[in-house]
Amino acid sequence: MAGGRLEVYWSPNSPDKFLTWGSDLSLYQVKNTSGRDDIASAHNFQISSNSRAYQLGSFTDVAFAKCLAWLPIPEMEGVIAIGQTNGRILLTSVLGPGETSPFHGKEYASKHNRQCNAVSWGLAEPYILAAGFEKHRSEHGLILWDVAKGGNDSNRPIMEMAFGDTITSVTWFNHSHTMAAGVNSKQLRLYDFKDGTKHTGSTNTRAVFSIVQDPFVNHRIASYSDTSVCIWDVRNFEKPVLSLQQNKAVSKISWCPTHHSFLGVLCKESTSLSLYDIQNANGLAAEEMEPIPLERGLILTENGETISSFAWHLNEENRLLYSTSSLNIKEHIVVDRITLNWSPSSKLVWNCGKKILQYIDETDSVYGRFSDFSVIMRQRAVEGYGLEADFKPDSELMQDVTTRELWCWVDTCRKLAQSGNPLGINFMGIRSALRLDTDGVMKSEMFQVPWNGVESAKISPITVYRSEERNQALRLCGWPYDPENSILGPLLEKFQADGQVSRSAALSVFHMKIRKAIKILTRSGVQKNQVSYQLVALALAGFTDNRETLWQQEICSMQKNALDDPYLRATFAFLTSPSEKYESVLNETGMSVRDRIGFACNFLSDTHLSEFIEYLNRQLTKEGNLDGMLLTGLSTDGLNLLQSHVDKTGDIQTVSLLSLHASNQEVSKDGRMQQWVNSYRSLLDSWRLWTQRAKFDVQFYKGNPSGVEKPPQQVYVSCNYCGKGISVFSGGKSKLPFSRSSPNVKSKLTGCPNCRNPLPRCAVCMMHLGSPLASWGGPTEHISKKPSINVASSVSGVTSKKSHPFASWILWCQTCRHGGHSAHLLEWFAEHSECPVTGCSCRCLNLDTIGHHIPVIANGHD
């Protein structure tokens, strides 16, 4: 081919063969190279990481070739029709002459010497060859031959069309005798060679080059001219359905044969291939605005190489073969735009081509990279997180430290509420305890507290601050709040039992009990074989507040830099702090927020304490850190913090469950809390956790008896005749539905109180529903002693039809709509599997969950 351009074509007959057209025609076979190590040569080359092409044959006489078409017959593999510039059409086999290629060497020609612009084999009749020629005033431009025709007139055309016209391109339609041809560079025409020589349709356009038919839509074709690609619907041939403008001149277009309405467009001197998804175009044809398909660019080459040609594989989905300006041939798999679906139950599914759906869930290791918090929420919901009335903050469900600290604050407030403390009753925070939320002024007393367990004469006492507000704040932090530190001992023992040795030692030092801290570290170091604890205890034993000593200058600084434990670092920072602001301790983020606040309430002056609390409040609110609830409490600021937490983590579960255990009037009136609760309800519904949803609603309305409006009743028993609700008491809007009437009321209502028509009958005893429960004559006495009835009783809650109030309640099947008294139906289904109504074969009990727990005694009635 002139200019060194290399064209590529996939075989229409074999899935592993392709043809190249450049200085010659070469046929190649693609083989998998896994486990092979072939040496590259002129006759084989690598086209992908696991595929290699091997030459099967070639044809070198292509000097006058202008166009070609591959015969689509598997038995004639390698037969090519070559249209030449001298007006001849040569049939040749790239594999050479032989029994499998009887057409090799055949020639067809027009009467006059003129260029052949296009050749195309028929699809309905593959031996029909159509050729388009340049214009001649005395000859047709479109000529058809039957290459299978024998005899003396085998080279005579079977039909000629388009007299005196130039044919620039031609293509056949699938499963028909219709062709589309580009005529005179200004018109597209449709011809049916079974219907005469006149065209059956036409449209005026300059897009007459490279006509291709959509393999999935028989009435759709595409063509191009210069920088414009047009999509046509031949049923309405007046104007194109779509016009796709390109930045450069178009060199080739091709529909993907394995992907619905997927068009590839290649421009000259381009390093990328444009792909258009046209599947939604026709749906908008009636609108004035031209529809725009989905477009994407596919970069195939590197280092500035341009693409010469491309070809879609006919069978393998989205497989593409392309050639470059440096005469390299490569294959590529086009990755589809995926449709991603993420189910509420943490299942991720997406399409991989037309036939494969890939699927992962939370059990896959890849899924863990998504940091999907809903997986944690669902697991906690299944295990009953936050639904118990005596919910403990140290539950195994509390894997997250921040969430555990939140529930510790809730637990502390509940304990304070039991003693009548208003801080606990209203779930207030540190800011309320210190009166910082009301611009109150703290007035604390300053005390000098000596060290305990060391020589007090050598070590100066520490300044601490006391006030009633500080004591309230220390209560919320769980710190000792009385001068005698009465709860310090049990608190330290609890920390040690929980394995928090360094925290226990640090709190001992913060309460000036160095000897206690040394004992804790030494004992734990021996028990756990932790040498580091013993070294820290040794360092604490030499403590002195004299800044000139070696301990202050060297040993302590070395310990602070070498220690990994935040509580031990804070301990040495406290002992060596040069000022009473204690920045190194308060800025130790490894410590819990309540310990940092407790430390501040003991050792900071009123001014410094207010500044620290406000700074920490702003920081935690901005971060959405639930530790900040200890500062804000359930207030407007607290709700702002919760909103920030939800925005950052999506954890609506914790903020919704907070409403079950901690609420006040201010929270109940805020719409955000109700929105979180409704969102969590919807989430439980999407997870199909109906039991957890019901328990949540019960706890929610129990904890908010007046602050939240209860939902209206949604289930009624209505009359079959008038459709109105059936009630024990007639008249008035406050009527109680029959299904909710008091079980102690011995009603004799057997008809509708509105229309007076009788109620349905029990399918077993045939008495009207609502009448006093009567024996239906079945084997009640001996069945009640059998295990199956005991199982039924334990599941349904009916222990005896004569004593239990639920025995006379109405049950009905949601499928066949038959029903009766609950006691009678349970007795019936203990022996039968089908509905008690004659002629009804519905297996009512098996449709319900309870049916799996009540075995059928006898199968004789099945």
Side-chain angles (χ1 to χ4, degrees):
M1 177 172 288
R5 182 178 175 184
L6 189 65
E7 288 279 351
V8 291
Y9 305 86
W10 275 111
S11 169
N13 308 312
S14 302
D16 59 346
K17 294 183 178 65
F18 68 88
L19 184 73
T20 63
W21 175 25
S23 59
D24 62 0
L25 288 177
S26 296
L27 181 66
Y28 292 91
Q29 183 175 20
V30 179
K31 295 183 179 180
N32 194 318
T33 58
S34 57
R36 302 169 64 102
D37 190 17
D38 295 343
I39 300 176
S41 67
H43 302 291
N44 68 84
F45 50 87
Q46 201 80 20
I47 62 174
S48 68
S49 60
N50 59 355
S51 298
R52 197 172 191 85
Y54 296 85
Q55 190 178 43
L56 299 180
S58 64
F59 180 75
T60 58
D61 188 13
V62 293
F64 300 102
K66 176 63 178 178
C67 54
L68 61 82
W70 199 328
L71 180 63
I73 299 178
E75 295 79 11
M76 303 293 179
E77 181 63 285
V79 175
I80 308 297
I82 302 175
Q84 299 179 336
T85 57
N86 56 12
R88 295 181 178 275
I89 300 174
L90 175 65
L91 300 188
T92 184
S93 174
V94 185
L95 297 174
E99 295 181 359
T100 59
S101 54
F103 301 138
H104 180 73
K106 276 192 173 185
E107 284 191 7
Y108 300 89
S110 64
K111 298 176 182 178
H112 299 85
N113 189 1
R114 53 184 178 149
Q115 179 174 285
C116 178
N117 293 325
V119 288
S120 179
W121 295 100
L123 299 179
E125 297 186 33
Y127 289 112
I128 302 299
L129 177 64
F133 294 88
E134 285 291 333
K135 176 181 178 180
H136 194 278
R137 62 183 180 181
S138 59
E139 193 173 2
H140 295 81
L142 182 60
I143 304 176
L144 276 64
W145 288 276
D146 185 353
V147 299
K149 184 179 179 182
N152 296 329
D153 59 348
S154 59
N155 288 348
R156 180 178 299 177
I158 61 173
M159 182 168 288
E160 296 176 318
M161 293 167 279
F163 184 81
D165 295 324
T166 296
I167 303 298
T168 55
S169 61
V170 62
T171 190
W172 292 88
F173 284 82
N174 289 332
H175 313 297
S176 72
H177 300 93
T178 304
M179 294 177 294
V183 183
N184 297 328
S185 298
K186 62 180 181 180
Q187 199 175 47
L188 288 179
R189 293 180 186 173
L190 302 180
Y191 291 95
D192 188 342
F193 86 93
K194 293 291 186 181
D195 192 28
T197 61
K198 292 185 178 181
H199 60 268
T200 58
S202 66
T203 184
N204 294 325
T205 178
R206 295 180 61 85
V208 296
F209 299 99
S210 186
I211 305 174
V212 286
Q213 190 222 356
D214 188 340
F216 290 95
V217 183
N218 290 333
H219 56 265
R220 180 185 294 167
I221 60 175
S223 61
Y224 74 84
S225 69
D226 296 330
T227 60
S228 177
V229 178
C230 296
I231 312 297
W232 304 88
D233 187 339
V234 297
R235 299 172 302 178
N236 184 12
F237 218 19
E238 294 180 0
K239 62 179 181 178
V241 175
L242 282 174
S243 293
L244 308 174
Q245 298 299 322
Q246 309 299 313
N247 296 326
K248 298 179 181 180
V250 179
S251 63
K252 185 173 183 178
I253 60 175
S254 178
W255 294 100
C256 178
T258 59
H259 191 296
H260 194 281
S261 302
F262 206 47
L263 180 67
V265 177
L266 177 63
C267 295
K268 295 179 180 179
E269 304 299 325
S270 177
T271 60
S272 64
L273 183 67
S274 298
L275 302 177
Y276 294 90
D277 190 350
I278 329 262
Q279 61 180 350
N280 297 324
N282 287 342
L284 301 176
E287 298 186 5
E288 295 182 1
M289 182 180 294
E290 185 179 79
I292 300 176
L294 297 176
E295 178 185 0
R296 60 187 289 196
L298 183 64
I299 299 176
L300 297 174
T301 63
E302 299 177 353
N303 303 323
E305 275 191 299
T306 59
I307 304 173
S308 299
S309 177
F310 74 97
W312 296 103
H313 197 282
L314 298 184
N315 305 112
E316 296 187 21
E317 189 172 356
N318 292 351
R319 187 178 178 185
L320 184 71
L321 190 71
Y322 67 94
S323 60
T324 67
S325 56
S326 57
L327 306 183
N328 291 321
I329 299 175
K330 300 291 181 181
E331 69 172 351
H332 180 81
I333 302 299
V334 179
V335 179
D336 274 334
R337 294 176 183 267
I338 66 172
T339 301
L340 186 66
N341 290 278
W342 205 339
S343 75
S345 56
S346 303
K347 294 176 175 58
L348 197 63
V349 62
W350 66 94
N351 64 301
C352 185
K354 296 187 301 182
K355 300 179 180 179
I356 300 176
L357 288 178
Q358 292 193 344
Y359 159 85
I360 62 173
D361 57 18
E362 67 274 12
T363 60
D364 291 271
S365 58
V366 177
Y367 195 91
R369 302 177 186 176
F370 301 147
S371 300
D372 183 10
F373 196 78
S374 66
V375 177
I376 300 175
M377 288 196 294
R378 188 174 187 274
Q379 182 62 31
R380 294 194 305 200
V382 170
E383 297 180 7
Y385 168 58
L387 295 178
E388 301 85 355
D390 57 344
F391 183 65
K392 301 298 181 184
D394 56 352
S395 169
E396 294 180 358
L397 300 177
M398 296 293 97
Q399 301 295 331
D400 181 54
V401 176
T402 302
T403 308
R404 188 184 299 117
E405 289 294 322
L406 170 70
W407 293 113
C408 283
W409 165 72
V410 173
D411 189 59
T412 301
C413 289
R414 286 190 297 191
K415 292 177 181 178
L416 292 176
Q418 292 176 358
S419 61
N421 192 315
L423 288 177
I425 296 174
N426 296 316
F427 292 92
M428 296 181 178
I430 298 294
R431 296 182 73 250
S432 298
L434 299 176
R435 300 181 182 178
L436 298 179
D437 56 346
T438 58
D439 296 328
V441 179
M442 287 187 296
K443 293 182 180 180
S444 303
E445 298 183 33
M446 186 172 60
F447 296 90
Q448 298 294 324
V449 179
W451 290 91
N452 183 274
V454 296
E455 297 183 22
S456 301
K458 296 181 179 180
I459 303 177
S460 303
I462 296 295
T463 301
V464 297
Y465 297 86
R466 291 282 186 264
S467 69
E468 182 56 33
E469 293 82 2
R470 290 176 183 254
N471 290 341
Q472 293 281 45
L474 289 172
R475 284 188 175 94
L476 289 175
C477 294
W479 273 44
Y481 52 86
D482 55 334
E484 293 78 16
N485 296 328
S486 57
I487 67 170
L488 179 62
L491 185 63
L492 298 180
E493 292 177 359
K494 179 180 182 299
F495 289 157
Q496 294 177 66
D498 294 340
Q500 303 179 61
V501 178
S502 59
R503 185 180 185 185
S504 179
L507 261 65
S508 299
V509 175
F510 294 159
H511 289 84
M512 280 66 72
K513 299 182 182 297
I514 287 188
R515 187 176 296 277
K516 180 69 172 176
I518 294 174
K519 290 182 178 180
I520 292 173
L521 291 171
T522 302
R523 181 172 61 250
S524 298
V526 173
Q527 293 176 351
K528 299 182 179 181
N529 196 22
Q530 291 282 350
V531 179
S532 59
Y533 284 163
Q534 300 180 44
L535 292 177
V536 172
L538 183 61
L540 286 177
F543 166 65
T544 176
D545 61 349
N546 188 348
R547 304 294 175 183
E548 305 299 327
T549 61
L550 182 63
W551 192 93
Q552 285 280 349
Q553 295 178 1
E554 300 294 339
I555 298 181
C556 189
S557 61
M558 291 174 58
Q559 288 284 352
K560 286 194 296 182
N561 296 330
L563 291 173
D564 296 330
D565 192 288
Y567 278 96
L568 296 182
R569 288 198 303 267
T571 299
F572 286 104
F574 170 64
L575 295 176
T576 59
S577 177
S579 68
E580 293 186 353
K581 290 185 178 181
Y582 301 105
E583 292 96 338
S584 298
V585 180
L586 299 176
N587 294 331
E588 184 56 69
T589 56
M591 293 175 58
S592 68
V593 170
R594 56 174 169 165
D595 286 340
R596 292 162 64 191
I597 296 174
F599 180 90
C601 289
N602 269 341
F603 299 106
L604 294 188
S605 63
D606 291 343
T607 302
H608 293 155
L609 178 60
S610 300
E611 292 176 353
F612 172 72
I613 294 298
E614 294 300 332
Y615 163 76
L616 189 61
N617 179 45
R618 290 192 300 270
Q619 182 186 36
L620 296 178
T621 301
K622 182 180 179 180
E623 296 174 355
N625 192 325
L626 293 179
D627 288 339
M629 291 300 295
L630 176 62
L631 292 168
T632 62
L634 276 184
S635 60
T636 302
D637 291 340
L639 291 178
N640 293 336
L641 187 149
L642 293 176
Q643 182 65 64
S644 178
H645 173 74
V646 172
D647 293 341
K648 292 181 180 297
T649 66
D651 183 14
I652 61 170
Q653 182 183 52
T654 296
V655 297
S656 299
L657 291 173
L658 189 62
S659 64
L660 304 186
H661 303 277
S663 62
N664 53 37
Q665 291 297 324
E666 185 175 3
V667 171
S668 300
K669 295 178 181 178
D670 196 290
R672 287 175 292 182
M673 180 62 78
Q674 189 61 41
Q675 183 179 5
W676 297 331
V677 169
N678 291 335
S679 297
Y680 185 54
R681 286 170 172 162
S682 300
L683 191 59
L684 290 174
D685 289 343
S686 66
W687 288 335
R688 304 175 67 86
L689 299 179
W690 318 122
T691 303
Q692 287 79 359
R693 162 67 194 271
K695 290 181 178 179
F696 177 84
D697 284 346
V698 169
Q699 294 292 339
F700 179 77
Y701 290 114
K702 185 185 297 183
N704 299 271
S706 58
V708 179
E709 182 180 356
K710 292 186 178 181
Q713 182 176 340
Q714 300 173 344
V715 179
Y716 295 88
V717 177
S718 60
C719 176
N720 287 334
Y721 297 96
C722 65
K724 295 183 178 180
I726 298 173
S727 174
V728 174
F729 305 101
S730 61
K733 294 183 179 181
S734 60
K735 295 189 296 180
L736 294 175
F738 184 82
S739 59
R740 283 195 173 186
S741 61
S742 173
N744 296 324
V745 177
K746 301 299 182 181
S747 170
K748 296 184 179 180
L749 183 65
T750 59
C752 174
N754 299 290
C755 65
R756 304 301 179 184
N757 283 304
L759 298 182
R761 298 177 182 271
C762 172
V764 179
C765 69
M766 300 307 295
M767 297 291 291
H768 288 288
L769 298 178
S771 61
L773 193 65
S775 175
W776 58 282
T780 304
E781 297 300 328
H782 76 272
I783 290 180
S784 63
K785 299 178 182 179
K786 294 189 177 183
S788 60
I789 294 300
N790 294 337
V791 174
S793 301
S794 64
V795 174
S796 64
V798 180
T799 56
S800 172
K801 70 181 180 66
K802 296 182 179 180
S803 61
H804 203 284
F806 292 104
S808 61
W809 276 38
I810 301 173
L811 297 181
W812 66 93
C813 175
Q814 294 295 315
T815 301
C816 67
R817 300 296 179 180
H818 298 141
H821 299 111
S822 63
H824 292 166
L825 291 177
L826 286 174
E827 291 176 0
W828 172 271
F829 284 114
E831 287 190 331
H832 307 81
S833 60
E834 292 186 353
C835 178
V837 175
T838 303
C840 181
S841 59
C842 178
R843 296 178 177 268
C844 309
L845 195 66
N846 293 335
L847 302 177
D848 200 349
T849 307
I850 192 176
H852 302 294
H853 300 279
I854 305 180
V856 177
I857 296 177
N859 296 324
H861 301 278
D862 288 351

